[in-house]
């Protein structure tokens, strides 16, 4: 499928390690840990698929890959999980209205999956330890013809 077809949606969790910056940078460029650098190698700035890539941030909720964010520190606590559920659900619905998806790839720790809840997408691939299964992650992205 080409990048304009209803196909893939990637949601990746934020990481503790971030670029230290005084100016906001695109969300996908801010995070330096977890599996974000691996995903960023496939989706450099300007890649059309970044419009189908979201980051679930403990501070900001669900944001687009290119949404500017500044460095922050906010762990995902049970309180944040409860506070983020409704706004994340609204953001996900808005995103799927703009970018329908037939498959989703979730690269999220368990607490982040709890925030996200069930996805209204026919096929969902979920990895709570994506670095251990990176070949599977790449296989899914390849099947979508993502770079």
């Amino acid at each position: 499928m080409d990048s304009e077809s209803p196909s893939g949606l990637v949601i990746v969790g934020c990481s503790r390690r971030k670029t230290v910056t005084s100016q906001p940078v695109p969300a996908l460029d801010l995070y330096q840990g977890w599996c974000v650098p691996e995903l960023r190698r496939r989706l450099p700035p300007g890649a059309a698929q970044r419009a189908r890539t979201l980051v679930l941030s403990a501070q900001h909720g669900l944001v687009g890959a290119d949404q500017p964010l500044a460095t922050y520190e906010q762990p995902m606590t049970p309180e944040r999980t409860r506070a983020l559920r409704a706004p994340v659900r609204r953001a996900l619905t808005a995103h799927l209205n703009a970018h329908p998806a037939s498959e989703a790839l979730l690269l999220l720790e368990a607490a982040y999956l709890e925030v996200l809840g069930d996805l209204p997408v026919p096929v969902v691939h979920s990895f709570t330890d994506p670095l251990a299964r990176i070949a599977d992650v790449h296989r899914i992205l390849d099947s979508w013809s993502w770079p």
Side-chain angles (χ1 to χ4, degrees), residues 24-87:
V25 298
L28 200 60
D29 300 333
L30 177 66
Y31 302 103
Q32 300 302 311
W34 183 237
C35 64
V36 178
E38 187 73 25
L39 183 59
R40 189 171 46 243
R41 280 189 275 285
R42 288 196 69 138
L43 303 174
Q49 292 81 3
R50 285 174 74 121
R52 293 181 163 281
T53 304
L54 302 173
V55 177
L56 183 49
S57 160
Q59 175 72 32
H60 302 286
L62 200 58
V63 298
D66 288 319
Q67 180 170 327
L69 298 179
T71 304
Y72 66 90
E73 183 56 39
Q74 173 65 60
M76 185 62 79
T77 63
E79 295 77 20
R80 285 303 296 159
T81 298
R82 286 189 295 278
L84 287 172
R85 279 190 189 124

Side-chain angles (χ1 to χ4, degrees), residues 70-130:
T71 304
Y72 66 90
E73 183 56 39
Q74 173 65 60
M76 185 62 79
T77 63
E79 295 77 20
R80 285 303 296 159
T81 298
R82 286 189 295 278
L84 287 172
R85 279 190 189 124
V88 162
R89 206 68 191 152
R90 286 190 299 272
L92 178 61
T93 299
H95 181 83
L96 288 171
N97 286 337
H99 304 281
S102 56
E103 290 186 54
L105 174 59
L106 308 181
L107 308 172
L108 300 166
E109 293 177 358
Y112 290 76
L113 285 171
E114 188 177 331
V115 170
L116 196 58
D118 293 331
L119 256 66
V121 174
V123 177
V124 178
H125 310 274
S126 183
F127 298 95
T128 57
D129 189 4

